[in-house]
């Protein structure tokens, strides 16, 4: 097998928004309770936050964190989750059919974000909630005037405003499973009115519209109608997707090649959304950019609510997570936020028990990409071996992206070898500049594509590092089968 990756460091696609390494925490299963928040645990700090989980999440460097849902938000009353804990109500929660004690709410979440170094991103209830409630929540969080809601926040111990910048209006309103499912026209009206009063409450906020999660043929019309009716009020167009190695989420059941070809579907969803936004922005003479926020994405196909969505990830899932970041980097011009769903226990890179935790396979590509990503995405050309599936022919075995840091001295190349059995000899070539010394290669791999990390074998899939010298305009490296390789190169 041989491949050629050709990089011109001057062919910059766009700056990379660090928010593509965002996270998402929902009141669902053990994400909040027993995940990030577990008062009484030997691992908990004085606020009940699991310090072991916090330390692991810090390694992922998530600049933004979406909360409190998800489907959960469409039945959420923010007032239930503020004030003295003993007075907070326990509610029947209808999105996931659970009981919600509300002992974790807005202020606990903001404190958690501050500890983590993430910007909070709150989604408001556009399901069974209303715009008054949304606007009050914003005033409670960000208000500076001497109002009753601001006094309430201060009474709750938060003198300074939380300054929450990102606000989503609704969640997956296109899905019949949602409390308060809406037609595109209904949502466009609701969105516009919520946005109006929320901006009047705090003009500095950024608003995200919930566009697509159900990729049925009508998604195209939905985005178009949303643009037509509400574009002026939209700061980000939010889309969701989940993929998996099965017929429902992918194209085939347990077919490695088809699973790896999911990159094509991600390209379609991103390019399609970009195209509609662009066409409508031009038709409307819009005058501001509307970037995409993939504010829920991940592999999710094995477990459903009985399993509280506690997916156990294997190596092939880790390759798919890496391909997501490659796609976000290649689409850096439009994708300005992405939030892995979710952060702990629920379809997450971290799995806890009361005693400890395990870092799942998907933790490793996430950490590698967020730690090494430069600030500019490069337009990479690559060629080489190909593979086919029942749906596609001639797909390149490698899935590639690259970034550069601002002084232009560090080039990072991301390579996923999608061959199950074959190593790939790969030449990395620069068309301008040269390699000037050290290359650090970090490889995510494990014994088999089905390898998983468990409490007994926590490091079955992990990262190995190796450094070598490269001088001149090219070097050749052998990529292991079913692996993710990140090359951190000094260049001039
Ligand atoms: O992340 C799990 C669920 O997936 C979210 O609650 C919902 O928005 C999506 O369907």
């Amino acid at each position: 097998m041989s491949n050629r990756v050709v990089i011109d460091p001057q062919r910059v696609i766009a700056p990379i928004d660090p928010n593509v390494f965002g996270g998402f925490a929902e009141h669902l299963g053990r994400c909040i309770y027993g995940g990030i928040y577990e008062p009484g645990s030997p691992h908990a700090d004085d606020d009940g936050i699991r310090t072991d989980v916090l330390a692991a999440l810090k390694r992922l460097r998530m600049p933004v964190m979406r909360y409190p849902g998800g489907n959960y938000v469409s039945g959420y009353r923010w007032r239930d989750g503020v004030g003295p804990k003993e007075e907070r109500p326990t509610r029947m929660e209808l999105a996931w059919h659970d009981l919600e004690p509300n002992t974790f709410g807005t202020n606990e979440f903001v404190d958690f974000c501050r500890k983590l170094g993430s910007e909070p991103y709150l989604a408001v209830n556009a399901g069974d909630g209303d715009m008054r409630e949304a606007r009050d929540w914003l005033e409670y969080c960000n208000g500076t005037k001497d109002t009753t809601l601001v006094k309430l926040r201060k009474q709750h111990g938060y003198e300074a405003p939380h300054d929450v910048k990102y606000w989503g209006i609704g969640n997956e309103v296109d899905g019949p499973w949602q409390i308060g499912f809406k037609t595109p026209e209904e949502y466009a009206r609701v969105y516009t009115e919520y946005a109006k009063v929320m901006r009047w409450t705090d003009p500095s906020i950024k608003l995200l519209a919930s566009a697509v999660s159900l990729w049925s043929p009508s998604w195209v019309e939905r985005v178009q109608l949303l643009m037509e009716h509400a574009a002026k009020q939209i700061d980000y167009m939010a889309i969701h997707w989940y993929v998996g190695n099965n017929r429902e989420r992918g194209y085939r059941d347990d077919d490695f090649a088809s699973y790896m070809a999911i990159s094509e579907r991600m390209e379609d969803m991103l390019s399609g959304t970009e195209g509609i936004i662009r066409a409508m922005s031009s038709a409307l003479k819009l005058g501001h950019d509307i970037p995409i926020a993939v504010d829920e994405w991940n592999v999710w196909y094995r477990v459903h609510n009985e399993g509280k969505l506690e997916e156990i990830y294997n190596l092939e899932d880790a390759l798919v997570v890496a391909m997501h970041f490659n796609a976000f980097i290649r689409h850096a011009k439009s994708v300005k936020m992405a939030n892995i769903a979710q952060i702990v226990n629920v379809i997450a890179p971290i799995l806890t028990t009361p005693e400890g935790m395990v870092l799942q396979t998907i933790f490793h590509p996430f950490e590698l990409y967020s730690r090494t990503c430069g600030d500019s995405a490069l337009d990479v050309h690559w060629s080489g071996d190909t593979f086919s599936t029942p749906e596609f022919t001639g797909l390149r075995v490698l899935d590639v992206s690259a970034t550069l840091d601002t002084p232009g001295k560090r080039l990072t190349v991301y390579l996923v070898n999608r061959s199950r059995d074959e190593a790939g000899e790969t030449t990395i070539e620069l068309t301008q500049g040269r390699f000037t010394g050290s290359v650090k290669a970090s490889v995510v791999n494990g014994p088999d594509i089905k390898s998983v990390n468990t409490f007994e074998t926590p490091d079955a899939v992990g990262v190995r590092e190796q450094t070598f010298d490269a001088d001149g305009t090219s070097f050749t490296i052998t990529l292991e089968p079913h692996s993710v390789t990140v090359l951190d190169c000094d260049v001039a």
Side-chain angles (χ1 to χ4, degrees):
M1 249 180 85
S2 69
N3 304 285
R4 190 169 163 237
V5 176
V6 182
I7 300 171
D8 178 347
Q10 296 209 328
R11 283 184 66 103
V12 171
I13 299 171
I16 293 170
D17 195 315
N19 281 347
V20 298
F21 298 106
F24 167 47
E26 176 168 10
H27 286 248
L28 195 186
R30 297 193 307 128
C31 179
I32 304 292
Y33 305 109
I36 61 180
Y37 181 70
E38 198 169 17
S41 156
H43 296 292
D45 66 12
D46 291 346
D47 296 325
I49 299 294
R50 286 269 302 242
T51 51
D52 53 344
V53 172
L54 190 69
L57 285 172
K58 277 187 180 166
R59 287 174 52 181
L60 299 181
R61 299 184 191 195
M62 294 173 157
V64 64
M65 187 67 64
R66 181 170 177 257
Y67 171 86
N71 297 340
Y72 174 81
V73 78
S74 300
Y76 184 55
R77 297 277 173 276
W78 69 268
R79 281 187 174 82
D80 289 348
V82 296
K85 292 198 180 183
E86 58 287 0
E87 290 171 19
R88 298 188 194 175
T90 296
R91 301 274 187 211
M92 265 179 78
E93 197 286 290
L94 297 186
W96 300 104
H97 305 284
D98 216 337
L99 285 188
E100 171 55 58
N102 281 303
T103 48
F104 190 94
T106 308
N107 297 317
E108 289 80 15
F109 174 68
V110 172
D111 284 346
F112 164 72
C113 286
R114 301 302 176 219
K115 287 180 188 177
L116 189 57
S118 296
E119 277 298 318
Y121 157 17
L122 296 177
V124 302
N125 181 345
D128 68 7
D130 61 32
M131 67 174 120
R132 177 73 208 206
E133 202 187 359
R135 149 200 165 181
D136 284 353
W137 194 13
L138 173 57
E139 186 183 324
Y140 174 88
C141 287
N142 290 6
T144 51
K145 303 214 170 80
D146 201 18
T147 67
T148 300
L149 281 167
V150 171
K151 281 187 193 144
L152 187 67
R153 185 192 69 226
K154 291 183 179 176
Q155 206 181 307
H156 293 159
Y158 295 83
E159 189 63 30
H162 289 324
D163 281 332
V164 177
K165 179 174 170 189
Y166 301 106
W167 291 81
I169 299 180
N171 176 71
E172 297 191 352
V173 295
D174 62 333
W177 59 86
Q178 202 65 218
I179 300 173
F181 160 74
K182 290 174 178 57
T183 66
E185 289 86 353
E186 283 167 350
Y187 179 61
R189 287 289 306 130
V190 164
Y191 180 88
T192 306
E193 295 307 309
Y194 270 58
K196 200 166 76 185
V197 295
M198 288 177 76
R199 283 197 212 281
W200 285 342
T201 307
D202 179 354
S204 72
I205 57 172
K206 296 285 176 205
L207 288 171
L208 291 91
S210 164
V212 188
S213 63
L214 181 63
W215 295 88
S216 63
S218 64
W219 78 265
V220 173
E221 192 189 0
R222 188 169 266 273
V223 179
Q224 183 180 333
L225 284 169
L226 190 52
M227 285 294 293
E228 207 171 298
H229 295 290
K232 282 198 184 124
Q233 287 285 13
I234 299 177
D235 296 318
Y236 290 81
M237 190 70 82
I239 59 177
H240 293 178
W241 71 63
Y242 293 95
V243 298
N245 189 358
N246 75 343
R247 195 170 295 269
E248 191 195 333
R249 298 289 203 206
Y251 296 106
R252 301 273 149 181
D253 286 328
D254 196 13
D255 179 284
F256 180 71
S258 295
Y259 193 26
M260 293 299 108
I262 230 141
S263 54
E264 302 313 289
R265 197 161 139 222
M266 297 183 319
E267 287 296 326
D268 283 351
M269 292 185 283
L270 287 178
S271 307
T273 310
E274 282 164 1
I276 304 166
I277 294 173
R278 184 165 178 178
M280 289 303 295
S281 299
S282 157
L284 297 167
K285 299 194 175 22
L286 190 60
H288 76 274
D289 288 342
I290 300 187
I292 295 171
V294 189
D295 63 0
E296 280 185 37
W297 67 269
N298 205 349
V299 172
W300 169 25
Y301 70 104
R302 300 176 187 93
V303 288
H304 297 284
N305 205 29
E306 327 77 69
K308 298 286 181 204
L309 280 58
E310 296 201 5
E311 193 91 345
I312 305 295
Y313 291 109
N314 62 24
L315 175 59
E316 60 186 8
D317 301 327
L319 305 192
V320 169
V321 162
M323 291 193 314
H324 275 82
F325 287 121
N326 283 347
F328 299 153
I329 291 169
R330 290 192 297 257
H331 288 263
K333 196 164 176 216
S334 62
V335 180
K336 297 296 182 189
M337 190 192 289
N339 306 68
I340 192 168
Q342 299 190 8
I343 54 171
V344 189
N345 290 330
V346 174
I347 42 175
I350 299 166
L351 207 55
T352 67
T353 61
E355 294 75 37
M357 61 177 192
V358 75
L359 304 180
Q360 296 226 53
T361 61
I362 63 169
F363 183 95
H364 296 294
F366 197 115
E367 182 185 28
L368 259 185
Y369 277 75
S370 77
R371 204 182 64 210
T372 57
C373 190
D375 47 31
S376 298
L378 297 179
D379 188 10
V380 181
H381 168 77
W382 78 99
S383 57
D385 296 292
T386 60
F387 70 106
S388 296
T389 73
E391 287 80 21
F392 300 102
T393 50
L395 293 182
R396 289 169 289 185
V397 170
L398 299 189
D399 186 73
V400 182
S401 70
T403 68
L404 194 67
D405 69 349
T406 287
K409 294 194 182 313
R410 196 173 59 91
L411 168 73
T412 310
V413 189
Y414 301 95
L415 307 126
V416 181
N417 182 2
R418 299 186 276 188
S419 170
R420 183 178 183 146
D421 305 307
E422 286 187 57
E425 186 157 293
T426 302
T427 303
I428 314 287
E429 277 176 49
L430 290 179
T431 58
Q432 297 197 55
R434 57 192 186 82
F435 296 103
T436 57
S438 140
V439 175
K440 184 162 123 193
S442 308
V443 181
V444 180
N445 208 347
D448 182 82
I449 53 167
K450 301 294 183 190
S451 300
V452 300
N453 290 346
T454 62
F455 284 91
E456 293 70 41
T457 56
D459 302 315
V461 174
V463 185
R464 276 175 292 108
E465 289 177 353
Q466 171 205 342
T467 304
F468 56 91
D469 288 335
D471 209 352
T473 57
S474 71
F475 65 85
T476 298
I477 181 171
T478 301
L479 304 175
E480 299 171 9
H482 54 65
S483 66
V484 181
T485 300
V486 177
L487 301 172
D488 244 316
C489 316
D490 292 335
V491 291

